[in-house]
Amino acid sequence: MELQEDMIFSITEKFIPNFSKAQTLRIIQLNEKTVKIEMDQAKARGAFPIDQFKGLIRDGSLILDSNDSLRNEVRRMSAEDTAS
């Protein structure tokens, strides 16, 4: 999965550092080494090494929000239409 800014993930019970009891988190910034996130409700922010963040996705701690994947697909299609 290619990570992008503004992706939203649902947080499962496997996500241990969920001190704020958030239901979702959003990627606010990323680069080749780190992923900066914002958790809902408490608006808590944090950062993960990118490999660790991808590991949280692989082990089911974070699940891409299905509405988010639809939004990203629409954005991608719009960008392709604009480029034509």
Side-chain angles (χ1 to χ4, degrees):
M1 168 189 311
E2 182 179 335
L3 298 176
Q4 300 173 9
E5 290 181 7
D6 291 323
M7 287 179 115
I8 298 172
F9 292 85
S10 296
I11 300 171
T12 70
E13 66 279 351
K14 292 180 180 182
F15 188 75
I16 302 303
N18 191 1
F19 299 115
S20 66
K21 304 291 186 222
Q23 299 294 311
T24 62
L25 65 77
R26 179 175 64 92
I27 296 176
I28 56 174
Q29 187 178 22
L30 67 117
N31 59 41
E32 63 278 348
K33 294 183 180 182
T34 59
V35 177
K36 293 184 181 179
I37 58 103
E38 178 178 74
M39 298 173 79
D40 72 342
Q41 296 174 353
K43 296 295 182 191
R45 291 185 175 197
F48 290 92
I50 199 158
D51 290 336
Q52 182 182 6
F53 191 83
K54 288 180 177 180
L56 292 169
I57 296 168
R58 279 191 301 275
D59 79 4
S61 296
L62 300 174
I63 299 171
L64 182 62
D65 186 291
S66 59
N67 292 328
D68 185 65
S69 58
L70 265 172
R71 280 190 295 271
N72 285 334
E73 184 65 19
V74 168
R75 274 190 219 130
R76 185 187 62 77
M77 291 172 68
S78 294
E80 288 175 357
D81 288 343
T82 305
S84 299

